Amino acid sequence: MKDEELIELVTGLESDRVERKESLVADKIREAICAFANDLPNSGLPGVVAVGLNDSGQPVGLDVSDALLLNLAQMRDDGKIVPFPDLEVRTVEVDGHRIAVAIVQPSANPPIACDGRVWIRVGPRRARATPSEEQRLVERRRHANLPFDSRPVRSATIDDLDLEFVRREFLPQVIDPEVLAENQRPLAQQVAALHLADPLGVPTAAGLLLCGIAPPDHLPGAYLQFLRVDGNDLSCPVKSTHRLVGPIPQIMREVDEILRAHIETLVRFSGETREFVRPTVPFEALQQLVRNALIHRNYEGTNAPVRVSWFEDRVEIQSPGGPFGQVTVDSFGQPGLTDYRNPSLAGMLGQLGYVQRFGAGIPIAQAALAKNGNPHAEFIVNPTNVAVIVRFE
């Protein structure tokens, strides 16, 4: 959108395409982003959240700082809005004052939820979607344009999902308790609204990865292979091997236990005194890097698992699939540059507590390695694979 069009839109009458806020009220702005992304009227036009204007469209003199713009942009992928919306943040000038605008494109993958609640626009106001409105959004998905993890896996049926786990543990963690208590829809409809299945009940890739009974039955590479050898190459004797199969949250918990069990502690001797100095490698660094591999890997058209190979002097993590979207081989690792091959999977894992902060996994790992005295992790990136090497004494 051109600046002139934006200014005319945000200073005119508040409508189903515009919401104005005098300041950065995070919860309300996320709800507005969610509502515009859902585009219940099916206009196909972007909605705009304008920060720094009053209800009449007049600037209030808000200091639109770089920090404010960053906070607004981070609402795209901070895990509160699932799946991630298509969001652009910039500034325009109104009557000599700079204001912040968030331009939200209609989603091809509705319903979009904020903290487990689906929001829509009803004329100029924002409202919670009713069950029938949610169903309309579910039925409007355009499957051809969906990311792989939101597409139905035709070889699977609803029986391939652990529905008791969904009912008992999954829904209470990702849906607001008040909303869950009010929800009288059949479980199959709730599963579809969460992008775990399509409107006909066929599980999506994200559904199988998050709560499938046996994900590799339909996504052959959906497991993790751990190997530890007694030496520095794969020809050395095997000390330990594990094949972790199951939904991604279960794999993450199990691999955490394995990593902890294999981390050794460096010891310094002074006479007859023993001093435990530090671990050979910090657990937090390995945890972040392995979780990144599980979240961002390619699950489509490959039988390769995530591989964690532990040698005497290093750990190597192999992730199928190269960089995705705006992240390229050349730009990989640049601060603030992120994209999501599996947005539904990433968003749900964030709500389940398996992601500390989106886009921060590698910086957190590098900081933990530096604090522990290890070299920075090395990345070997090519179009079909990402490898990480963590070295230690």
Side-chain angles (χ1 to χ4, degrees), residues 66-122:
D66 289 345
L68 183 147
L69 294 172
L70 179 61
N71 287 336
L72 187 57
Q74 287 177 337
M75 292 181 188
R76 171 184 178 264
D77 55 8
D78 63 3
K80 300 285 188 180
I81 305 174
V82 180
F84 302 140
D86 183 346
L87 179 68
E88 176 193 356
V89 173
R90 60 198 236 218
T91 63
V92 292
E93 192 169 295
V94 175
D95 294 338
H97 296 272
R98 201 164 72 133
I99 66 166
V101 293
I103 305 168
V104 187
Q105 298 295 335
S107 174
N109 195 15
I112 309 298
C114 176
D115 285 332
R117 299 170 184 249
V118 175
W119 294 87
I120 58 170
R121 296 291 290 191
V122 181

Side-chain angles (χ1 to χ4, degrees), residues 150-365:
S150 294
R151 297 180 206 160
V153 179
R154 296 300 177 188
S155 62
T157 70
I158 198 70
D159 292 333
D160 289 299
L161 300 181
D162 186 345
L163 294 178
E164 182 54 35
F165 166 77
V166 173
R167 187 195 314 274
R168 185 184 66 251
E169 296 185 34
F170 195 91
L171 290 175
Q173 291 187 70
V174 301
I175 301 295
D176 182 272
E178 180 183 332
V179 176
L180 198 57
E182 295 172 356
N183 200 329
Q184 301 300 315
R185 291 175 300 165
L187 182 60
Q189 289 186 17
Q190 297 182 58
V191 166
L194 289 171
H195 305 269
L196 304 178
D198 75 356
L200 299 177
V202 179
T204 62
L208 291 170
L209 291 168
L210 288 162
C211 49
I213 296 171
D217 287 355
H218 306 280
L219 303 170
Y223 66 98
L224 183 145
Q225 185 71 51
F226 177 91
L227 174 70
R228 181 164 185 176
V229 298
D230 189 11
N232 288 326
D233 62 71
L234 292 173
S235 66
C236 296
V238 174
K239 294 178 71 173
S240 178
T241 184
H242 301 271
R243 186 177 188 269
L244 304 185
V245 179
I248 298 297
Q250 175 185 317
I251 290 177
M252 287 181 170
R253 293 192 300 269
E254 291 179 358
V255 76
D256 279 357
E257 294 178 9
I258 293 170
L259 294 174
R260 290 185 190 277
H262 284 268
I263 292 174
E264 298 168 356
T265 302
L266 295 174
V267 179
R268 180 188 296 125
F269 290 92
S270 178
E272 297 181 358
T273 304
R274 235 180 7 169
E275 180 186 356
F276 295 96
V277 182
R278 58 181 172 83
T280 51
V281 59
F283 166 75
E284 184 179 26
L286 293 182
Q287 181 190 56
Q288 291 292 329
L289 295 170
V290 171
R291 289 187 175 184
N292 259 18
L294 289 166
I295 293 170
H296 296 295
R297 62 155 292 176
N298 181 16
Y299 286 96
E300 181 181 14
T302 176
N303 296 336
V306 169
R307 288 190 168 90
V308 180
S309 303
W310 196 299
F311 301 94
E312 289 300 295
D313 63 349
R314 69 194 186 281
V315 175
E316 295 183 0
I317 302 165
Q318 299 276 349
S319 176
F324 177 80
Q326 67 173 340
V327 181
T328 65
V329 171
D330 294 331
S331 67
F332 185 91
Q334 290 183 10
L337 189 64
T338 59
D339 213 328
Y340 298 91
R341 175 181 276 113
N342 306 305
S344 292
L345 175 65
M348 285 295 179
L349 287 171
Q351 288 194 291
L352 291 169
Y354 290 94
V355 179
Q356 283 183 301
R357 191 167 67 253
F358 287 104
I362 292 175
I364 290 172

Side-chain angles (χ1 to χ4, degrees), residues 16-17 31-48 85 104-113 118-123 127 129 133 136-138 140-142:
D16 61 357
R17 292 189 59 203
E31 292 169 5
I33 291 170
C34 174
F36 287 133
N38 280 320
D39 185 28
L40 185 67
N42 203 18
S43 69
L45 298 171
V48 179
V104 187
Q105 298 295 335
S107 174
N109 195 15
I112 309 298
V118 175
W119 294 87
I120 58 170
R121 296 291 290 191
V122 181
E133 288 166 337
R136 283 171 55 192
L137 292 170
V138 169
R140 208 175 66 208
R141 292 183 194 164
R142 300 186 288 278

